[in-house]
Amino acid sequence: MKINIFSIPIYATTIDVNEIRINHVDFVKTWLSETESSHNFNNEVCPDSTKYLLKNVSDLISEDIGKPHRLHLKNIWENHYKENDYQDRHTHPMSHFSFVIYKKILESHTLFFHPADKLLQSYYENMELPIFMENFKPDLKQGQLLVFPSFLEHMVLKHDHSETISGNILIELLEKKI
């Protein structure tokens, strides 16, 4: 018998990136990496875009939530990666799930870290066991949506000339009606 405990799902699907429209986007060099981004909490998304995005996210994660719920888009922003741009290791606090839409990109450069990667390193030095992998780089392309738990530490590796849309989602559990 095999029992998976503490597994961490990530989800991916193909979407129409032209359906995601963000209004009032100003780009500034952001974070330590100085990647051009519209990251702020004031970006507005067209209502149809929000509906389209949340439906796609819901289609991916709802079965695993397993309770009646409603999804809320907490915030959304675009990143424009120029020559050798990247993002440092980070998480997305105060949200349940986060996402990346690969708007204009040849391949994904997102790298996830095992939540216990430092512990694994201290126990399994110089061992490459796939069952205890320390990081994971999904193989995704332009037009794909990646959804992951917001606590999952990740980064964006150095690369050139691409655009992504990222954001955060909150889950509201709904009471069952008797």
Side-chain angles (χ1 to χ4, degrees), residues 136-150:
F136 174 74
K137 184 179 178 288
D139 182 21
L140 299 174
K141 308 283 185 230
Q142 183 169 306
Q144 292 192 286
L145 164 69
L146 174 68
V147 179
F148 56 94
S150 299

Side-chain angles (χ1 to χ4, degrees), residues 98-120:
S98 298
F99 62 87
V100 178
I101 298 169
Y102 298 102
K103 181 178 176 181
K104 181 181 173 188
I105 194 165
L106 295 177
E107 64 179 285
S108 62
H109 292 87
T110 308
L111 181 68
F112 291 99
F113 297 94
H114 190 294
D117 66 335
K118 304 292 189 281
L119 184 62
L120 289 172

